[in-house]
Amino acid sequence: MSGDSCLHRLHHAQAGSTSAAPAPLACPKTKTCSYRGAVGLGNKYVRLNVGGTLFYTTLQVLTRQNSMLKAMFSGKQEVFTDREGWILIDRSGKHFGSILGYLREGTVTLPKGRQAVLELLAEAKYYLIQGLVELCQNSLQDNKEQALCVIPVVTSIKEEERLIQACTKPVVKLVYNRSNNKYSYTSNSDDNLLKNIELFDRLSLSYNGRVLFIKDVIGDEICCWSFYGQGRKLAEVCCTSIVYATEKKQTKVEFPEARIYEETLNALLYETVPAPDNSLLEATRRSHAHCGSHSEEEEGGGGGGGGGGGGGGGGGGPGATGAELRERVRRIHVKRYSTYDDRPLGH
């Protein structure tokens, strides 16, 4: 069935030849129902089908401002209707509610997002509603889209040091450089590398404004997290290790999500000045049980390693001073295991 068979043109009502008074605004001959209690044709309801979305409104609203809609419903343009009496407008109905709102009130709350405002602007230009066009244009000029989070990508050690020392907030840095590997990767290493990057993006959005997040794509590590507070390195989580599989070495990338979250929260202790008290530092320093394939160690700031082995308790007893606690750097590394018998290789 052709479209012409479904549509018929509506002709406007003519004033009677015996009537001396000028005729009111002509109403398209559609199956509309009058609003009870309203006076005159200005308040007659019109049913609109805009791109498949249905709207009810009045002739008074449609003809209130100089626009294409006023021309359509004041007899200057022909309109089309379907068999059920819905007047057809071949445009998207997504923002037509905002169009009607502006015609009623003379203003409207613009949709959120630059793309949505651009879409509404296109509709306002089509319907020739100049006031709404200007409202959208002013909004686009005044509210240029702002980035949710800006992540600096460091290209040198000096640049990294300058950013960390100048920042008054905690700092989280992720080094990822897949090309550093001289062996083949294990089967799930690429997936885990991607998971580390995705976690970094999620954390940067969650703690934007409280923590400075830095990406390093030229570092010596393949995948390594570093955590800083008040210009000092607090902890490091290295996510790579070398494993043996079928008598050859492979590089394995881990995704220690829980430890990364933990160290990020620990770094937030340094969000305010002065530094956290000794009880908080001691609570975050205490030994953790062996976590799967990870080992933990602490190193003193003066270069003296504090007891390396996997518990992380070395480097000072319970009586350590606050200064000593603040100088420690907690490093978490992936233990090296052979994949065929799960034995420590021994170093």
Side-chain angles (χ1 to χ4, degrees):
M1 180 180 294
S2 67
D4 292 337
S5 63
C6 295
L7 303 175
H8 63 273
R9 296 190 176 187
L10 296 177
H11 298 284
H12 308 292
Q14 302 294 329
S17 58
T18 58
S19 176
L25 291 176
C27 174
K29 293 181 180 179
T30 58
K31 295 179 181 179
T32 58
C33 47
S34 298
Y35 178 72
R36 291 184 179 182
V39 178
L41 291 175
N43 287 316
K44 177 167 282 190
Y45 275 90
V46 179
R47 299 188 297 175
L48 303 175
N49 182 339
V50 185
T53 306
L54 306 181
F55 296 89
Y56 279 98
T57 189
T58 64
L59 284 173
Q60 185 180 33
V61 169
L62 294 171
T63 58
R64 181 165 293 170
Q65 299 188 28
N66 289 326
S67 67
M68 178 185 290
L69 292 170
K70 182 175 183 179
M72 290 174 62
F73 292 96
S74 61
K76 296 180 181 179
Q77 290 186 11
E78 294 178 330
V79 295
F80 296 89
T81 183
D82 62 15
R83 289 181 175 180
E84 297 179 355
W86 291 89
I87 296 173
L88 303 176
I89 299 178
D90 189 18
R91 294 291 291 183
S92 170
K94 180 178 180 180
H95 297 290
F96 194 75
S98 297
I99 297 289
L100 293 179
Y102 183 83
L103 293 177
R104 290 189 192 101
E105 308 295 337
T107 186
V108 71
T109 301
L110 297 179
K112 294 182 180 179
R114 183 178 181 84
Q115 182 59 37
V117 176
L118 287 171
E119 293 172 358
L120 179 57
L121 174 60
E123 296 302 304
K125 288 181 177 180
Y126 175 80
Y127 292 112
L128 303 177
I129 306 175
Q130 186 58 34
L132 183 55
V133 169
E134 294 175 357
L135 183 64
C136 293
Q137 289 176 337
N138 292 337
S139 174
L140 292 171
Q141 292 175 358
D142 296 340
N143 301 315
K144 292 182 179 179
E145 193 137 5
Q146 299 293 326
L148 293 177
C149 184
V150 178
I151 306 296
V153 179
V154 296
T155 57
S156 68
I157 296 178
K158 288 184 178 180
E159 182 183 10
E160 175 187 320
E161 292 175 349
R162 178 180 57 80
L163 282 172
I164 294 173
Q165 294 299 324
C167 185
T168 58
K169 300 180 289 187
V171 178
V172 175
K173 183 188 73 170
L174 173 62
V175 177
Y176 64 94
N177 190 349
R178 193 178 186 280
S179 62
N180 278 340
N181 185 33
K182 60 181 179 180
Y183 308 114
S184 62
Y185 284 98
T186 57
S187 58
N188 61 347
S189 288
D190 282 333
D191 287 341
N192 285 335
L193 181 59
L194 180 59
K195 288 178 181 178
N196 278 279
I197 296 172
E198 290 174 341
L199 176 59
F200 180 88
D201 292 340
R202 292 199 303 272
L203 290 173
S204 64
L205 291 175
S206 298
Y207 296 102
N208 180 38
R210 299 180 63 185
V211 177
L212 173 64
F213 289 85
I214 298 175
K215 283 185 178 180
D216 183 350
V217 295
I218 60 172
D220 295 331
E221 297 286 349
I222 295 172
C223 184
C224 185
W225 296 74
S226 298
F227 304 86
Y228 302 82
Q230 298 181 5
R232 186 182 72 78
K233 192 170 188 177
L234 306 173
E236 180 181 276
V237 178
C238 182
C239 303
T240 56
S241 64
I242 304 299
V243 297
Y244 282 90
T246 62
E247 305 300 328
K248 69 176 182 178
K249 292 182 180 179
Q250 285 188 308
T251 299
K252 182 178 183 181
V253 179
E254 295 278 7
F255 179 50
E257 182 176 14
R259 284 314 295 264
I260 294 167
Y261 266 111
E262 180 181 355
E263 296 303 337
T264 302
L265 295 177
N266 287 341
L268 287 174
L269 296 174
Y270 293 80
E271 190 175 12
T272 58
V273 177
D277 59 29
N278 294 348
S279 60
L280 283 174
L281 292 173
E282 180 68 24
T284 62
R285 185 201 66 83
R286 285 174 184 160
S287 303
H288 296 267
H290 286 279
C291 299
S293 60
H294 286 79
S295 63
E296 179 178 319
E297 62 184 22
E298 291 185 358
E299 293 184 3
T321 66
E324 290 172 341
L325 289 172
R326 291 187 179 90
E327 287 303 314
R328 293 192 179 118
V329 178
R330 184 167 46 253
R331 289 184 168 87
I332 300 93
H333 297 272
V334 177
K335 283 186 177 179
R336 293 179 173 86
Y337 289 110
S338 58
T339 58
Y340 52 86
D341 60 2
D342 202 35
R343 294 179 304 177
L345 296 179
H347 303 288

